[in-house]
Amino acid sequence: MTGLRWGILATGGIAGAFASDLRTAGLDLVAVGSRSQESADAFAARFDIAHAHPSYEALVADPDVDIIYVSTPHPMHHENARLALENGKHVLAEKAFTLNRAEAEDLQALAAEKGLLVMEAMWTRYLPHMIRIRELIADGTLGEIRAVSADHTQLLPSDPTHRLNALELGGGALLDLGIYPISFVWDILGAPTDIRAVGRLIETGADSEVATVMTHEGGAISTTLSSSRASGPNAASIVGTEARIDIDRVWYTPTSFRVILPDGTVQEEYVSEVDGRGMQFQALAAERLVRDGILEGDILPIAESVAIMGTLDEIRAQIGVRYPREEA
């Protein structure tokens, strides 16, 4: 641990989950900022936080805070992360990292200029089972990887005014759900060399289903499916010439997986044993990076988060989704 002092920007459900896991890991959570004093006070009381600020500006100005976790909806990530960086704070920003690639590039440049860490909170990448999966791939257990598949499908509110369905709030399955399997295939196969996407749009213009088929360097193929209107298996697989990995439901949370040989023999079975939800591992990684002066990141470099936003931009272009602020 570096002794970094954490502040949380916004007080929604994901902020609560993150705060709980920070406490589980024994990290130093010292401040929270909300748009109202009442909300900040309630959150601070719930998680025993010393400083409760009635605005985001007050939070980022707090001299007792070193790093800010940004947990607002997608369209606010850029503005909120920029505010924190401008005030000399390291940033861990919820995924999807921003609304589009241009915003991500701006944060990348500002962080580099300020000598600060900015990191996407793609917490799945840091979970123990994913660390083990990357070890197995690196040592050649799977042979040549030929295909990767993953779905993130949930039955979520259909109310058109809900933020998940409102374009002005970055609504749609892609940024909320699709970011998980898209980031996963990037993690395993690297950047796509060809992207093909189809989607279904709802009455608000937001996407309710998105499917992709992507080709990656060497010819490997990935497939992803995201839906906000139906719950599927939420499983993933990595298929190689020597073995495959089947990751159980829910693949992007602490879970189990098996390494299976072509004849069906189970070569290895991994079962996660994690306290809490598992969001603390990304926070521990952020602390390690700051301690070691590695401000670009390693498991998920900021350059990769920027490039992934470019992939999401291309998928949106193909399925016909454009956010209001992009209409200029």
Side-chain angles (χ1 to χ4, degrees), residues 8-10 32-36 53-63 65 68 79-80 83-84 86-87 89:
I8 293 182
L9 190 150
V32 61
S34 180
R35 289 175 294 181
S36 74
H53 296 289
S55 70
Y56 302 153
E57 290 79 9
L59 172 66
V60 300
D62 189 333
V65 173
I68 300 286
E79 176 185 350
N80 298 152
L83 180 67
E86 287 173 339
N87 280 269
K89 312 301 187 187

Side-chain angles (χ1 to χ4, degrees), residues 112-298:
E113 175 190 326
K114 297 286 188 179
L116 295 166
L117 174 73
V118 63
M119 179 172 136
E120 181 182 11
M122 177 43 70
W123 61 295
T124 302
R125 291 252 185 146
Y126 303 89
L127 293 174
H129 75 281
M130 285 304 305
I131 301 297
R132 178 56 183 152
I133 285 171
R134 284 192 289 271
E135 291 173 349
L136 289 164
I137 292 171
D139 70 18
T141 297
L142 302 190
E144 178 193 355
I145 297 177
R146 305 286 295 183
V148 174
S149 64
D151 81 298
H152 190 177
T153 47
Q154 296 189 39
L155 181 59
L156 298 176
S158 59
D159 179 354
T161 65
H162 193 284
R163 76 156 188 91
L164 291 167
N165 304 308
L167 274 184
E168 66 273 16
L169 295 177
L174 185 63
L175 291 197
D176 259 281
L177 308 178
I179 180 61
Y180 284 88
I182 297 296
S183 185
F184 175 68
V185 300
W186 260 84
D187 189 13
I188 303 304
L189 297 175
T193 56
D194 182 69
I195 301 169
R196 302 183 188 186
V198 294
R200 176 188 291 183
L201 307 187
I202 58 173
E203 62 272 20
T204 65
D207 49 290
S208 59
E209 278 84 26
V210 181
T212 69
V213 178
M214 299 189 287
T215 306
H216 302 258
E217 186 176 353
I221 294 173
S222 69
T223 58
T224 75
L225 172 64
S226 305
S227 175
S228 61
R229 295 296 174 90
S231 180
N234 287 296
S237 64
I238 306 168
V239 180
T241 53
E242 301 297 325
R244 76 175 192 268
I245 293 176
D246 288 346
I247 312 175
D248 294 327
R249 179 183 180 92
V250 174
W251 68 267
Y252 52 85
T253 68
T255 188
S256 54
F257 71 78
R258 288 163 309 288
V259 179
I260 303 173
L261 302 180
D263 65 2
T265 301
V266 176
Q267 184 180 60
E268 177 177 330
E269 184 164 7
Y270 183 98
V271 179
S272 293
E273 295 181 2
V274 171
D275 292 330
R277 190 168 187 255
M279 299 183 76
Q280 66 269 33
F281 296 103
Q282 62 185 344
L284 290 164
E287 295 214 357
R288 173 180 55 81
L289 292 168
V290 171
R291 180 198 66 205
D292 295 343
I294 308 173
L295 300 181
E296 171 63 17
D298 48 7

